[in-house]
Amino acid sequence: MAYMTDEEADALDEELTRTIPELGPNGEGFFSGKGYQIIAVDEGTARILNAKALATHRTPSELVAEMVREQLAAATG
């Protein structure tokens, strides 16, 4: 594994110091409103979601989104 030189580490530190990521709804990346949001579920629900995700080759997020869309469609239909 290649390690950074002191000069590279200093340059990276300087870059990260000058360019602080913008968080919140207008930011970018994981912690922004545009990124993914984490929700807490109980262990049983997590196990069911993970098992179904593995069986269907989808992500738990895709499964939850589909269930929410189905519930909304049923409520308005």
Side-chain angles (χ1 to χ4, degrees), residues 10 17 22 33-34 39 41 45 48-49 56 58 61 70:
D10 289 341
T17 301
E22 184 179 339
K34 296 177 186 177
I39 61 168
V41 296
T45 302
I48 292 167
L49 279 172
T56 60
R58 299 168 69 193
S61 295
E70 288 173 358

Side-chain angles (χ1 to χ4, degrees), residues 16-70:
L16 292 175
T17 301
R18 284 186 285 112
T19 58
I20 298 170
E22 184 179 339
L23 304 179
N26 298 324
E28 296 290 332
F30 184 80
F31 293 107
S32 72
K34 296 177 186 177
Y36 293 102
Q37 296 187 8
I38 297 172
I39 61 168
V41 296
D42 61 84
E43 187 172 336
T45 302
R47 286 178 188 240
I48 292 167
L49 279 172
N50 286 327
K52 187 166 183 174
L54 285 172
T56 60
H57 304 288
R58 299 168 69 193
T59 66
S61 295
E62 290 171 329
L63 296 173
V64 171
E66 180 183 340
M67 288 187 280
V68 169
R69 284 192 298 274
E70 288 173 358

